[in-house]
Amino acid sequence: MMFAFTEPVQAEKLIHGTAFDLESNKVAYIEIHRFPSDTRHKVIYAEPSGDVFARKELDYSSGKSTPGFTQTNMRLDEVIEVSHLSDGALSVRYAIEGKSVKEKTLKNADDLVIDAGFNNYVLEHWDKLLEGSSLEFDYLLPTRQQRFRLKAERDDCKDEAATCFTIRPANGFFALLMKPLKLKYVDGSLAQFSGRSNIAQESGEYHQVRIEYVPLEIAMECADSEACVLTHARDSVSFQDGGGKSTVLARY
């Protein structure tokens, strides 16, 4: 008797995010996160139709909470670049439509958080936050080329299996003017984000969304093709819409 053995298919882990508009509950966009290495993080953003409109590449070699990154948004021809200089300072560049270009060098800070580094910041301070501590940190606003003081603290969670946190301005006056960011973690992984997105609409206004995150695995030979990744996600991902109904993402 002869047995035929096949080599196991190597897979890459992805995170798929579906962003729902907070007012209409319609899908605003889709984001897919790849992690080619421990320090590299790539994101593609697609319209509900499946057309890719933005890309981001992050480099965490400078620190888990302070990645340098480049983000290109084709909706309004916008480019954001944040890089770490040899002297420890930050170079922040913002350009839109190839005309309005702003560049600035900022001093670094021990408690600085940049872009998606907020997730690692929460994980690194998980125990303190669970104990009820309110932790303040500087968050980089690259479009304004300045730091903004925020604070993170534990929040009540309707889902007993989840752990929730809120991030809001540390200044009480600004806290009244700005909606907080809401984070929900399940088994130590970010499952839901609610609040102001880091992706602008064509008008230049930023989305107010609820993003539902789902882990995926995809064959390695497919991972480098955006079309293949989007097709795989469309066929694999389901989510709970506003009515509590599970829906397959066949709409894009």
Side-chain angles (χ1 to χ4, degrees):
M1 183 179 294
M2 296 181 64
F3 295 92
F5 295 94
T6 58
E7 294 185 2
V9 176
Q10 290 187 320
E12 179 176 328
K13 293 183 179 180
L14 308 175
I15 299 293
H16 183 290
T18 306
F20 299 88
D21 183 87
L22 285 180
E23 291 188 3
S24 68
N25 203 42
K26 293 181 179 179
V27 177
Y29 61 87
I30 293 95
E31 55 183 58
I32 297 177
H33 300 253
R34 290 183 58 202
F35 304 90
S37 72
D38 291 340
T39 59
R40 296 176 61 213
H41 177 185
K42 293 186 176 183
V43 192
I44 58 174
Y45 300 86
E47 306 284 5
S49 64
D51 295 329
V52 174
F53 69 87
R55 296 178 179 87
K56 181 192 297 186
E57 292 197 23
L58 303 100
D59 180 357
Y60 292 87
S61 58
S62 60
K64 292 183 178 180
S65 301
T66 55
F69 73 93
T70 299
Q71 177 176 296
T72 304
N73 184 345
M74 282 86 80
R75 281 174 166 175
L76 63 167
D77 194 14
E78 175 192 65
V79 179
I80 301 172
E81 295 177 324
V82 176
S83 57
H84 292 264
L85 303 177
S86 58
D87 62 358
L90 292 173
S91 172
V92 183
R93 183 177 184 273
Y94 176 74
I96 187 167
E97 295 182 350
K99 301 175 183 177
S100 177
V101 180
K102 294 187 278 186
E103 295 186 63
K104 190 173 184 180
T105 300
L106 299 175
K107 291 183 178 180
N108 210 328
D110 292 337
D111 59 354
L112 181 66
V113 174
I114 299 175
D115 200 71
F118 78 85
N119 180 49
N120 286 328
Y121 179 85
V122 169
L123 295 176
E124 287 176 349
H125 296 85
W126 186 269
D127 291 339
K128 288 185 178 179
L129 290 168
L130 288 188
E131 292 170 358
S133 297
S134 179
L135 303 180
E136 292 192 11
F137 59 92
D138 276 351
Y139 188 76
L140 180 66
L141 300 178
T143 56
R144 297 184 182 182
Q145 298 185 313
Q146 63 185 38
R147 300 191 297 264
F148 192 66
R149 199 71 176 166
L150 298 176
K151 68 177 179 179
E153 54 195 1
R154 189 172 184 179
D155 197 7
D156 293 333
C157 228
K158 293 181 180 179
D159 184 353
E160 294 183 358
T163 304
C164 296
F165 303 99
T166 297
I167 297 178
R168 56 168 51 90
N171 182 293
F173 175 74
F174 288 117
L176 294 174
L177 300 177
M178 299 175 62
K179 295 181 179 179
L181 304 179
K182 300 281 189 177
L183 312 176
K184 183 170 81 171
Y185 288 79
V186 177
D187 295 329
S189 296
L190 184 62
Q192 184 184 96
F193 169 97
S194 181
R196 182 181 182 274
S197 166
N198 58 4
I199 285 290
Q201 306 175 58
E202 292 182 2
S203 64
E205 297 293 322
Y206 282 78
H207 288 280
Q208 295 288 334
V209 293
R210 183 188 80 255
I211 307 176
E212 303 282 352
Y213 293 104
V214 178
L216 294 178
E217 285 194 356
I218 192 168
M220 294 291 288
E221 59 267 24
C222 175
D224 287 327
S225 166
E226 290 182 350
C228 186
V229 168
L230 286 167
T231 299
H232 178 81
R234 178 193 61 202
D235 295 338
S236 304
V237 177
S238 64
F239 58 83
Q240 296 295 317
D241 64 18
K245 181 181 179 182
S246 179
T247 309
V248 176
L249 290 179
R251 67 185 72 192
Y252 75 93

